[in-house]
Amino acid sequence: MVTSTRKCVCPSKLRAKLVLGGEGWMVNLICGTHNHALAKSLIGHPYAGRLTNDEKIIIGNMTKSKVKPKNILFTFKEYNANNCTIMKQVYNARYAYRYSIRGSNSEIQQLMKLLECN
């Protein structure tokens, strides 16, 4: 498995500042040269692969139904071939869903609470 960071020490720089009166932004290009080629695919890019609110709800419902993460991702890819979501984003959304259910309880406290109910 190959892993790397997104940082590539690219010298390209932009400077942006708010225009007086709040009517927008002024963007100045300081250095427009790049030391890398454009990405061939947006898979793994955090902005392109972000989950919509509807997708988060679907992940919550599928998690409640005990659907495996790989099947959740497969479902997204099946209905939208251009979906750039990766498995890590599915895992993170499942964790956030479970965290929202248990509230301020730790994982052990939540387990004890569920065992007491049965």
PDB file of all heavy atoms in Angstrom, residues 18-58:
ATOM      1  N   LEU A  18     -10.423  40.602   1.937  1.00  0.00           N
ATOM      2  CA  LEU A  18     -11.803  41.040   1.829  1.00  0.00           C
ATOM      3  C   LEU A  18     -11.845  42.470   1.324  1.00  0.00           C
ATOM      4  O   LEU A  18     -11.116  43.342   1.808  1.00  0.00           O
ATOM      5  CB  LEU A  18     -12.484  40.935   3.188  1.00  0.00           C
ATOM      6  CG  LEU A  18     -13.987  41.112   3.251  1.00  0.00           C
ATOM      7  CD1 LEU A  18     -14.697  40.074   2.392  1.00  0.00           C
ATOM      8  CD2 LEU A  18     -14.475  41.000   4.689  1.00  0.00           C
ATOM      9  N   VAL A  19     -12.672  42.738   0.331  1.00  0.00           N
ATOM     10  CA  VAL A  19     -12.840  44.084  -0.205  1.00  0.00           C
ATOM     11  C   VAL A  19     -13.648  44.894   0.802  1.00  0.00           C
ATOM     12  O   VAL A  19     -14.581  44.381   1.420  1.00  0.00           O
ATOM     13  CB  VAL A  19     -13.569  44.032  -1.577  1.00  0.00           C
ATOM     14  CG1 VAL A  19     -13.858  45.425  -2.098  1.00  0.00           C
ATOM     15  CG2 VAL A  19     -12.752  43.242  -2.573  1.00  0.00           C
ATOM     16  N   LEU A  20     -13.265  46.142   0.979  1.00  0.00           N
ATOM     17  CA  LEU A  20     -13.991  47.007   1.919  1.00  0.00           C
ATOM     18  C   LEU A  20     -15.469  47.048   1.571  1.00  0.00           C
ATOM     19  O   LEU A  20     -15.855  47.127   0.409  1.00  0.00           O
ATOM     20  CB  LEU A  20     -13.414  48.425   1.897  1.00  0.00           C
ATOM     21  CG  LEU A  20     -11.973  48.569   2.423  1.00  0.00           C
ATOM     22  CD1 LEU A  20     -11.509  50.014   2.271  1.00  0.00           C
ATOM     23  CD2 LEU A  20     -11.900  48.143   3.870  1.00  0.00           C
ATOM     24  N   GLY A  21     -16.300  46.974   2.582  1.00  0.00           N
ATOM     25  CA  GLY A  21     -17.736  46.996   2.364  1.00  0.00           C
ATOM     26  C   GLY A  21     -18.313  45.583   2.260  1.00  0.00           C
ATOM     27  O   GLY A  21     -19.503  45.410   2.143  1.00  0.00           O
ATOM     28  N   GLY A  22     -17.459  44.561   2.289  1.00  0.00           N
ATOM     29  CA  GLY A  22     -17.929  43.182   2.249  1.00  0.00           C
ATOM     30  C   GLY A  22     -18.540  42.761   0.937  1.00  0.00           C
ATOM     31  O   GLY A  22     -19.399  41.891   0.885  1.00  0.00           O
ATOM     32  N   GLU A  23     -18.107  43.372  -0.176  1.00  0.00           N
ATOM     33  CA  GLU A  23     -18.687  43.071  -1.484  1.00  0.00           C
ATOM     34  C   GLU A  23     -17.971  41.939  -2.209  1.00  0.00           C
ATOM     35  O   GLU A  23     -18.213  41.707  -3.376  1.00  0.00           O
ATOM     36  CB  GLU A  23     -18.677  44.330  -2.350  1.00  0.00           C
ATOM     37  CG  GLU A  23     -19.523  45.442  -1.770  1.00  0.00           C
ATOM     38  CD  GLU A  23     -19.422  46.708  -2.598  1.00  0.00           C
ATOM     39  OE1 GLU A  23     -18.786  46.696  -3.655  1.00  0.00           O
ATOM     40  OE2 GLU A  23     -19.978  47.721  -2.154  1.00  0.00           O
ATOM     41  N   GLY A  24     -17.066  41.275  -1.561  1.00  0.00           N
ATOM     42  CA  GLY A  24     -16.352  40.178  -2.194  1.00  0.00           C
ATOM     43  C   GLY A  24     -14.905  40.116  -1.753  1.00  0.00           C
ATOM     44  O   GLY A  24     -14.514  40.723  -0.761  1.00  0.00           O
ATOM     45  N   TRP A  25     -14.118  39.400  -2.521  1.00  0.00           N
ATOM     46  CA  TRP A  25     -12.715  39.194  -2.217  1.00  0.00           C
ATOM     47  C   TRP A  25     -11.847  39.674  -3.368  1.00  0.00           C
ATOM     48  O   TRP A  25     -12.233  39.578  -4.526  1.00  0.00           O
ATOM     49  CB  TRP A  25     -12.434  37.709  -1.986  1.00  0.00           C
ATOM     50  CG  TRP A  25     -13.017  37.196  -0.718  1.00  0.00           C
ATOM     51  CD1 TRP A  25     -14.290  36.757  -0.532  1.00  0.00           C
ATOM     52  CD2 TRP A  25     -12.371  37.073   0.538  1.00  0.00           C
ATOM     53  NE1 TRP A  25     -14.477  36.364   0.763  1.00  0.00           N
ATOM     54  CE2 TRP A  25     -13.301  36.540   1.446  1.00  0.00           C
ATOM     55  CE3 TRP A  25     -11.084  37.367   0.986  1.00  0.00           C
ATOM     56  CZ2 TRP A  25     -12.982  36.299   2.775  1.00  0.00           C
ATOM     57  CZ3 TRP A  25     -10.773  37.115   2.313  1.00  0.00           C
ATOM     58  CH2 TRP A  25     -11.720  36.586   3.200  1.00  0.00           C
ATOM     59  N   MET A  26     -10.658  40.157  -3.037  1.00  0.00           N
ATOM     60  CA  MET A  26      -9.663  40.503  -4.042  1.00  0.00           C
ATOM     61  C   MET A  26      -8.564  39.434  -3.944  1.00  0.00           C
ATOM     62  O   MET A  26      -7.990  39.215  -2.873  1.00  0.00           O
ATOM     63  CB  MET A  26      -9.061  41.873  -3.788  1.00  0.00           C
ATOM     64  CG  MET A  26      -7.986  42.242  -4.812  1.00  0.00           C
ATOM     65  SD  MET A  26      -7.254  43.838  -4.470  1.00  0.00           S
ATOM     66  CE  MET A  26      -8.604  44.905  -4.940  1.00  0.00           C
ATOM     67  N   VAL A  27      -8.290  38.767  -5.060  1.00  0.00           N
ATOM     68  CA  VAL A  27      -7.299  37.698  -5.077  1.00  0.00           C
ATOM     69  C   VAL A  27      -6.141  38.124  -5.963  1.00  0.00           C
ATOM     70  O   VAL A  27      -6.348  38.506  -7.112  1.00  0.00           O
ATOM     71  CB  VAL A  27      -7.921  36.379  -5.599  1.00  0.00           C
ATOM     72  CG1 VAL A  27      -6.882  35.278  -5.639  1.00  0.00           C
ATOM     73  CG2 VAL A  27      -9.119  35.976  -4.751  1.00  0.00           C
ATOM     74  N   ASN A  28      -4.940  38.074  -5.429  1.00  0.00           N
ATOM     75  CA  ASN A  28      -3.727  38.398  -6.178  1.00  0.00           C
ATOM     76  C   ASN A  28      -2.891  37.140  -6.343  1.00  0.00           C
ATOM     77  O   ASN A  28      -2.672  36.407  -5.373  1.00  0.00           O
ATOM     78  CB  ASN A  28      -2.892  39.453  -5.449  1.00  0.00           C
ATOM     79  CG  ASN A  28      -3.586  40.786  -5.381  1.00  0.00           C
ATOM     80  OD1 ASN A  28      -4.353  41.130  -6.283  1.00  0.00           O
ATOM     81  ND2 ASN A  28      -3.341  41.534  -4.319  1.00  0.00           N
ATOM     82  N   LEU A  29      -2.402  36.909  -7.540  1.00  0.00           N
ATOM     83  CA  LEU A  29      -1.509  35.788  -7.817  1.00  0.00           C
ATOM     84  C   LEU A  29      -0.083  36.246  -7.555  1.00  0.00           C
ATOM     85  O   LEU A  29       0.415  37.160  -8.207  1.00  0.00           O
ATOM     86  CB  LEU A  29      -1.678  35.330  -9.267  1.00  0.00           C
ATOM     87  CG  LEU A  29      -0.787  34.199  -9.728  1.00  0.00           C
ATOM     88  CD1 LEU A  29      -1.111  32.918  -8.962  1.00  0.00           C
ATOM     89  CD2 LEU A  29      -0.979  33.972 -11.215  1.00  0.00           C
ATOM     90  N   ILE A  30       0.572  35.636  -6.582  1.00  0.00           N
ATOM     91  CA  ILE A  30       1.932  36.020  -6.223  1.00  0.00           C
ATOM     92  C   ILE A  30       2.939  35.220  -7.040  1.00  0.00           C
ATOM     93  O   ILE A  30       3.868  35.764  -7.611  1.00  0.00           O
ATOM     94  CB  ILE A  30       2.177  35.838  -4.713  1.00  0.00           C
ATOM     95  CG1 ILE A  30       1.248  36.767  -3.949  1.00  0.00           C
ATOM     96  CG2 ILE A  30       3.630  36.091  -4.347  1.00  0.00           C
ATOM     97  CD1 ILE A  30       1.227  36.543  -2.466  1.00  0.00           C
ATOM     98  N   CYS A  31       2.752  33.923  -7.076  1.00  0.00           N
ATOM     99  CA  CYS A  31       3.641  33.054  -7.848  1.00  0.00           C
ATOM    100  C   CYS A  31       2.770  31.995  -8.508  1.00  0.00           C
ATOM    101  O   CYS A  31       2.127  31.208  -7.829  1.00  0.00           O
ATOM    102  CB  CYS A  31       4.684  32.409  -6.945  1.00  0.00           C
ATOM    103  SG  CYS A  31       5.772  31.271  -7.812  1.00  0.00           S
ATOM    104  N   GLY A  32       2.738  31.950  -9.830  1.00  0.00           N
ATOM    105  CA  GLY A  32       1.843  31.045 -10.547  1.00  0.00           C
ATOM    106  C   GLY A  32       2.492  29.794 -11.084  1.00  0.00           C
ATOM    107  O   GLY A  32       1.887  29.076 -11.867  1.00  0.00           O
ATOM    108  N   THR A  33       3.724  29.500 -10.665  1.00  0.00           N
ATOM    109  CA  THR A  33       4.379  28.294 -11.175  1.00  0.00           C
ATOM    110  C   THR A  33       4.099  27.108 -10.258  1.00  0.00           C
ATOM    111  O   THR A  33       3.988  27.264  -9.036  1.00  0.00           O
ATOM    112  CB  THR A  33       5.899  28.492 -11.284  1.00  0.00           C
ATOM    113  OG1 THR A  33       6.418  28.796  -9.985  1.00  0.00           O
ATOM    114  CG2 THR A  33       6.238  29.608 -12.247  1.00  0.00           C
ATOM    115  N   HIS A  34       3.970  25.946 -10.843  1.00  0.00           N
ATOM    116  CA  HIS A  34       3.741  24.711 -10.092  1.00  0.00           C
ATOM    117  C   HIS A  34       4.885  23.747 -10.344  1.00  0.00           C
ATOM    118  O   HIS A  34       5.473  23.737 -11.418  1.00  0.00           O
ATOM    119  CB  HIS A  34       2.432  24.041 -10.524  1.00  0.00           C
ATOM    120  CG  HIS A  34       1.209  24.796 -10.116  1.00  0.00           C
ATOM    121  ND1 HIS A  34       0.656  24.672  -8.873  1.00  0.00           N
ATOM    122  CD2 HIS A  34       0.444  25.684 -10.784  1.00  0.00           C
ATOM    123  CE1 HIS A  34      -0.414  25.458  -8.797  1.00  0.00           C
ATOM    124  NE2 HIS A  34      -0.561  26.083  -9.940  1.00  0.00           N
ATOM    125  N   ASN A  35       5.168  22.908  -9.359  1.00  0.00           N
ATOM    126  CA  ASN A  35       6.199  21.892  -9.515  1.00  0.00           C
ATOM    127  C   ASN A  35       5.600  20.492  -9.646  1.00  0.00           C
ATOM    128  O   ASN A  35       6.255  19.501  -9.405  1.00  0.00           O
ATOM    129  CB  ASN A  35       7.194  21.937  -8.350  1.00  0.00           C
ATOM    130  CG  ASN A  35       6.539  21.637  -7.020  1.00  0.00           C
ATOM    131  OD1 ASN A  35       5.331  21.438  -6.937  1.00  0.00           O
ATOM    132  ND2 ASN A  35       7.331  21.611  -5.967  1.00  0.00           N
ATOM    133  N   HIS A  36       4.312  20.429 -10.015  1.00  0.00           N
ATOM    134  CA  HIS A  36       3.641  19.144 -10.138  1.00  0.00           C
ATOM    135  C   HIS A  36       2.584  19.232 -11.232  1.00  0.00           C
ATOM    136  O   HIS A  36       2.126  20.312 -11.592  1.00  0.00           O
ATOM    137  CB  HIS A  36       2.987  18.747  -8.812  1.00  0.00           C
ATOM    138  CG  HIS A  36       2.029  19.789  -8.292  1.00  0.00           C
ATOM    139  ND1 HIS A  36       0.713  19.807  -8.633  1.00  0.00           N
ATOM    140  CD2 HIS A  36       2.225  20.858  -7.484  1.00  0.00           C
ATOM    141  CE1 HIS A  36       0.111  20.833  -8.052  1.00  0.00           C
ATOM    142  NE2 HIS A  36       1.019  21.489  -7.343  1.00  0.00           N
ATOM    143  N   ALA A  37       2.193  18.071 -11.743  1.00  0.00           N
ATOM    144  CA  ALA A  37       1.148  18.021 -12.773  1.00  0.00           C
ATOM    145  C   ALA A  37      -0.230  18.013 -12.105  1.00  0.00           C
ATOM    146  O   ALA A  37      -0.350  17.776 -10.902  1.00  0.00           O
ATOM    147  CB  ALA A  37       1.317  16.762 -13.611  1.00  0.00           C
ATOM    148  N   LEU A  38      -1.257  18.280 -12.892  1.00  0.00           N
ATOM    149  CA  LEU A  38      -2.617  18.200 -12.383  1.00  0.00           C
ATOM    150  C   LEU A  38      -2.961  16.762 -12.033  1.00  0.00           C
ATOM    151  O   LEU A  38      -2.459  15.822 -12.660  1.00  0.00           O
ATOM    152  CB  LEU A  38      -3.611  18.709 -13.428  1.00  0.00           C
ATOM    153  CG  LEU A  38      -3.588  20.205 -13.700  1.00  0.00           C
ATOM    154  CD1 LEU A  38      -4.532  20.533 -14.848  1.00  0.00           C
ATOM    155  CD2 LEU A  38      -3.977  20.983 -12.464  1.00  0.00           C
ATOM    156  N   ALA A  39      -3.829  16.590 -11.054  1.00  0.00           N
ATOM    157  CA  ALA A  39      -4.261  15.246 -10.663  1.00  0.00           C
ATOM    158  C   ALA A  39      -5.091  14.635 -11.784  1.00  0.00           C
ATOM    159  O   ALA A  39      -5.918  15.315 -12.403  1.00  0.00           O
ATOM    160  CB  ALA A  39      -5.074  15.316  -9.380  1.00  0.00           C
ATOM    161  N   LYS A  40      -4.874  13.359 -12.058  1.00  0.00           N
ATOM    162  CA  LYS A  40      -5.630  12.669 -13.105  1.00  0.00           C
ATOM    163  C   LYS A  40      -7.019  12.278 -12.613  1.00  0.00           C
ATOM    164  O   LYS A  40      -7.939  12.122 -13.392  1.00  0.00           O
ATOM    165  CB  LYS A  40      -4.868  11.428 -13.570  1.00  0.00           C
ATOM    166  CG  LYS A  40      -3.576  11.768 -14.267  1.00  0.00           C
ATOM    167  CD  LYS A  40      -2.835  10.535 -14.694  1.00  0.00           C
ATOM    168  CE  LYS A  40      -1.513  10.943 -15.348  1.00  0.00           C
ATOM    169  NZ  LYS A  40      -0.667   9.811 -15.630  1.00  0.00           N
ATOM    170  N   SER A  41      -7.153  12.114 -11.311  1.00  0.00           N
ATOM    171  CA  SER A  41      -8.425  11.701 -10.734  1.00  0.00           C
ATOM    172  C   SER A  41      -8.646  12.468  -9.440  1.00  0.00           C
ATOM    173  O   SER A  41      -7.693  12.824  -8.745  1.00  0.00           O
ATOM    174  CB  SER A  41      -8.393  10.198 -10.453  1.00  0.00           C
ATOM    175  OG  SER A  41      -9.521   9.822  -9.720  1.00  0.00           O
ATOM    176  N   LEU A  42      -9.885  12.714  -9.110  1.00  0.00           N
ATOM    177  CA  LEU A  42     -10.207  13.410  -7.869  1.00  0.00           C
ATOM    178  C   LEU A  42     -10.487  12.452  -6.718  1.00  0.00           C
ATOM    179  O   LEU A  42     -10.840  12.885  -5.630  1.00  0.00           O
ATOM    180  CB  LEU A  42     -11.415  14.330  -8.081  1.00  0.00           C
ATOM    181  CG  LEU A  42     -11.170  15.526  -8.989  1.00  0.00           C
ATOM    182  CD1 LEU A  42     -12.460  16.317  -9.163  1.00  0.00           C
ATOM    183  CD2 LEU A  42     -10.073  16.414  -8.455  1.00  0.00           C
ATOM    184  N   ILE A  43     -10.319  11.159  -6.939  1.00  0.00           N
ATOM    185  CA  ILE A  43     -10.558  10.173  -5.884  1.00  0.00           C
ATOM    186  C   ILE A  43      -9.540  10.401  -4.778  1.00  0.00           C
ATOM    187  O   ILE A  43      -8.343  10.480  -5.017  1.00  0.00           O
ATOM    188  CB  ILE A  43     -10.487   8.740  -6.428  1.00  0.00           C
ATOM    189  CG1 ILE A  43     -11.667   8.510  -7.364  1.00  0.00           C
ATOM    190  CG2 ILE A  43     -10.470   7.720  -5.308  1.00  0.00           C
ATOM    191  CD1 ILE A  43     -11.695   7.174  -8.030  1.00  0.00           C
ATOM    192  N   GLY A  44     -10.042  10.509  -3.556  1.00  0.00           N
ATOM    193  CA  GLY A  44      -9.189  10.767  -2.407  1.00  0.00           C
ATOM    194  C   GLY A  44      -9.048  12.239  -2.080  1.00  0.00           C
ATOM    195  O   GLY A  44      -8.548  12.590  -1.016  1.00  0.00           O
ATOM    196  N   HIS A  45      -9.499  13.117  -2.967  1.00  0.00           N
ATOM    197  CA  HIS A  45      -9.443  14.552  -2.694  1.00  0.00           C
ATOM    198  C   HIS A  45     -10.544  14.884  -1.691  1.00  0.00           C
ATOM    199  O   HIS A  45     -11.701  14.526  -1.897  1.00  0.00           O
ATOM    200  CB  HIS A  45      -9.634  15.342  -3.991  1.00  0.00           C
ATOM    201  CG  HIS A  45      -9.315  16.783  -3.855  1.00  0.00           C
ATOM    202  ND1 HIS A  45     -10.206  17.680  -3.330  1.00  0.00           N
ATOM    203  CD2 HIS A  45      -8.195  17.483  -4.153  1.00  0.00           C
ATOM    204  CE1 HIS A  45      -9.663  18.880  -3.312  1.00  0.00           C
ATOM    205  NE2 HIS A  45      -8.440  18.792  -3.820  1.00  0.00           N
ATOM    206  N   PRO A  46     -10.206  15.541  -0.591  1.00  0.00           N
ATOM    207  CA  PRO A  46     -11.198  15.750   0.461  1.00  0.00           C
ATOM    208  C   PRO A  46     -12.428  16.544   0.032  1.00  0.00           C
ATOM    209  O   PRO A  46     -13.532  16.263   0.491  1.00  0.00           O
ATOM    210  CB  PRO A  46     -10.424  16.488   1.557  1.00  0.00           C
ATOM    211  CG  PRO A  46      -9.161  16.943   0.949  1.00  0.00           C
ATOM    212  CD  PRO A  46      -8.907  16.109  -0.263  1.00  0.00           C
ATOM    213  N   TYR A  47     -12.260  17.526  -0.844  1.00  0.00           N
ATOM    214  CA  TYR A  47     -13.415  18.335  -1.241  1.00  0.00           C
ATOM    215  C   TYR A  47     -14.314  17.570  -2.210  1.00  0.00           C
ATOM    216  O   TYR A  47     -15.535  17.582  -2.079  1.00  0.00           O
ATOM    217  CB  TYR A  47     -12.941  19.651  -1.877  1.00  0.00           C
ATOM    218  CG  TYR A  47     -14.088  20.590  -2.178  1.00  0.00           C
ATOM    219  CD1 TYR A  47     -14.677  21.336  -1.161  1.00  0.00           C
ATOM    220  CD2 TYR A  47     -14.598  20.710  -3.457  1.00  0.00           C
ATOM    221  CE1 TYR A  47     -15.732  22.186  -1.423  1.00  0.00           C
ATOM    222  CE2 TYR A  47     -15.655  21.566  -3.733  1.00  0.00           C
ATOM    223  CZ  TYR A  47     -16.210  22.297  -2.715  1.00  0.00           C
ATOM    224  OH  TYR A  47     -17.259  23.128  -2.975  1.00  0.00           O
ATOM    225  N   ALA A  48     -13.721  16.886  -3.170  1.00  0.00           N
ATOM    226  CA  ALA A  48     -14.508  16.161  -4.170  1.00  0.00           C
ATOM    227  C   ALA A  48     -15.202  14.945  -3.569  1.00  0.00           C
ATOM    228  O   ALA A  48     -16.272  14.554  -4.012  1.00  0.00           O
ATOM    229  CB  ALA A  48     -13.616  15.723  -5.334  1.00  0.00           C
ATOM    230  N   GLY A  49     -14.617  14.350  -2.542  1.00  0.00           N
ATOM    231  CA  GLY A  49     -15.180  13.131  -1.966  1.00  0.00           C
ATOM    232  C   GLY A  49     -16.057  13.357  -0.756  1.00  0.00           C
ATOM    233  O   GLY A  49     -16.493  12.403  -0.126  1.00  0.00           O
ATOM    234  N   ARG A  50     -16.324  14.619  -0.433  1.00  0.00           N
ATOM    235  CA  ARG A  50     -17.129  14.881   0.757  1.00  0.00           C
ATOM    236  C   ARG A  50     -18.528  14.295   0.600  1.00  0.00           C
ATOM    237  O   ARG A  50     -19.051  14.177  -0.504  1.00  0.00           O
ATOM    238  CB  ARG A  50     -17.183  16.373   1.041  1.00  0.00           C
ATOM    239  CG  ARG A  50     -18.037  17.143   0.064  1.00  0.00           C
ATOM    240  CD  ARG A  50     -17.788  18.633   0.170  1.00  0.00           C
ATOM    241  NE  ARG A  50     -18.658  19.375  -0.696  1.00  0.00           N
ATOM    242  CZ  ARG A  50     -18.511  19.502  -2.002  1.00  0.00           C
ATOM    243  NH1 ARG A  50     -17.509  18.906  -2.601  1.00  0.00           N
ATOM    244  NH2 ARG A  50     -19.351  20.205  -2.721  1.00  0.00           N
ATOM    245  N   LEU A  51     -19.114  13.948   1.721  1.00  0.00           N
ATOM    246  CA  LEU A  51     -20.438  13.344   1.717  1.00  0.00           C
ATOM    247  C   LEU A  51     -21.511  14.429   1.836  1.00  0.00           C
ATOM    248  O   LEU A  51     -21.354  15.381   2.602  1.00  0.00           O
ATOM    249  CB  LEU A  51     -20.578  12.376   2.886  1.00  0.00           C
ATOM    250  CG  LEU A  51     -19.661  11.153   2.843  1.00  0.00           C
ATOM    251  CD1 LEU A  51     -19.667  10.451   4.187  1.00  0.00           C
ATOM    252  CD2 LEU A  51     -20.087  10.210   1.744  1.00  0.00           C
ATOM    253  N   THR A  52     -22.582  14.257   1.093  1.00  0.00           N
ATOM    254  CA  THR A  52     -23.716  15.172   1.211  1.00  0.00           C
ATOM    255  C   THR A  52     -24.529  14.787   2.446  1.00  0.00           C
ATOM    256  O   THR A  52     -24.344  13.712   3.018  1.00  0.00           O
ATOM    257  CB  THR A  52     -24.612  15.105  -0.035  1.00  0.00           C
ATOM    258  OG1 THR A  52     -25.171  13.788  -0.121  1.00  0.00           O
ATOM    259  CG2 THR A  52     -23.832  15.426  -1.308  1.00  0.00           C
ATOM    260  N   ASN A  53     -25.429  15.645   2.860  1.00  0.00           N
ATOM    261  CA  ASN A  53     -26.284  15.330   4.007  1.00  0.00           C
ATOM    262  C   ASN A  53     -27.129  14.090   3.736  1.00  0.00           C
ATOM    263  O   ASN A  53     -27.342  13.266   4.631  1.00  0.00           O
ATOM    264  CB  ASN A  53     -27.170  16.522   4.368  1.00  0.00           C
ATOM    265  CG  ASN A  53     -26.371  17.647   4.999  1.00  0.00           C
ATOM    266  OD1 ASN A  53     -25.336  17.410   5.604  1.00  0.00           O
ATOM    267  ND2 ASN A  53     -26.840  18.869   4.839  1.00  0.00           N
ATOM    268  N   ASP A  54     -27.627  13.959   2.500  1.00  0.00           N
ATOM    269  CA  ASP A  54     -28.411  12.776   2.149  1.00  0.00           C
ATOM    270  C   ASP A  54     -27.573  11.506   2.257  1.00  0.00           C
ATOM    271  O   ASP A  54     -28.051  10.478   2.743  1.00  0.00           O
ATOM    272  CB  ASP A  54     -28.973  12.895   0.727  1.00  0.00           C
ATOM    273  CG  ASP A  54     -30.034  13.984   0.615  1.00  0.00           C
ATOM    274  OD1 ASP A  54     -30.625  14.346   1.660  1.00  0.00           O
ATOM    275  OD2 ASP A  54     -30.264  14.468  -0.508  1.00  0.00           O
ATOM    276  N   GLU A  55     -26.318  11.573   1.816  1.00  0.00           N
ATOM    277  CA  GLU A  55     -25.443  10.408   1.902  1.00  0.00           C
ATOM    278  C   GLU A  55     -25.149  10.053   3.358  1.00  0.00           C
ATOM    279  O   GLU A  55     -25.066   8.872   3.716  1.00  0.00           O
ATOM    280  CB  GLU A  55     -24.143  10.650   1.134  1.00  0.00           C
ATOM    281  CG  GLU A  55     -24.332  10.650  -0.365  1.00  0.00           C
ATOM    282  CD  GLU A  55     -23.087  11.062  -1.130  1.00  0.00           C
ATOM    283  OE1 GLU A  55     -22.252  11.802  -0.594  1.00  0.00           O
ATOM    284  OE2 GLU A  55     -22.974  10.633  -2.298  1.00  0.00           O
ATOM    285  N   LYS A  56     -25.010  11.058   4.214  1.00  0.00           N
ATOM    286  CA  LYS A  56     -24.783  10.798   5.635  1.00  0.00           C
ATOM    287  C   LYS A  56     -25.996  10.112   6.258  1.00  0.00           C
ATOM    288  O   LYS A  56     -25.846   9.207   7.085  1.00  0.00           O
ATOM    289  CB  LYS A  56     -24.471  12.098   6.369  1.00  0.00           C
ATOM    290  CG  LYS A  56     -23.116  12.666   6.019  1.00  0.00           C
ATOM    291  CD  LYS A  56     -22.881  13.994   6.700  1.00  0.00           C
ATOM    292  CE  LYS A  56     -21.583  14.633   6.248  1.00  0.00           C
ATOM    293  NZ  LYS A  56     -21.367  15.953   6.853  1.00  0.00           N
ATOM    294  N   ILE A  57     -27.186  10.520   5.860  1.00  0.00           N
ATOM    295  CA  ILE A  57     -28.409   9.878   6.357  1.00  0.00           C
ATOM    296  C   ILE A  57     -28.471   8.436   5.877  1.00  0.00           C
ATOM    297  O   ILE A  57     -28.818   7.520   6.642  1.00  0.00           O
ATOM    298  CB  ILE A  57     -29.653  10.682   5.920  1.00  0.00           C
ATOM    299  CG1 ILE A  57     -29.686  12.026   6.644  1.00  0.00           C
ATOM    300  CG2 ILE A  57     -30.936   9.890   6.171  1.00  0.00           C
ATOM    301  CD1 ILE A  57     -30.704  13.007   6.103  1.00  0.00           C
ATOM    302  N   ILE A  58     -28.122   8.214   4.615  1.00  0.00           N
ATOM    303  CA  ILE A  58     -28.112   6.851   4.069  1.00  0.00           C
ATOM    304  C   ILE A  58     -27.109   5.995   4.826  1.00  0.00           C
ATOM    305  O   ILE A  58     -27.402   4.833   5.172  1.00  0.00           O
ATOM    306  CB  ILE A  58     -27.793   6.874   2.557  1.00  0.00           C
ATOM    307  CG1 ILE A  58     -28.960   7.490   1.795  1.00  0.00           C
ATOM    308  CG2 ILE A  58     -27.488   5.474   2.037  1.00  0.00           C
ATOM    309  CD1 ILE A  58     -28.657   7.802   0.337  1.00  0.00           C
TER     310      ILE A  58
END
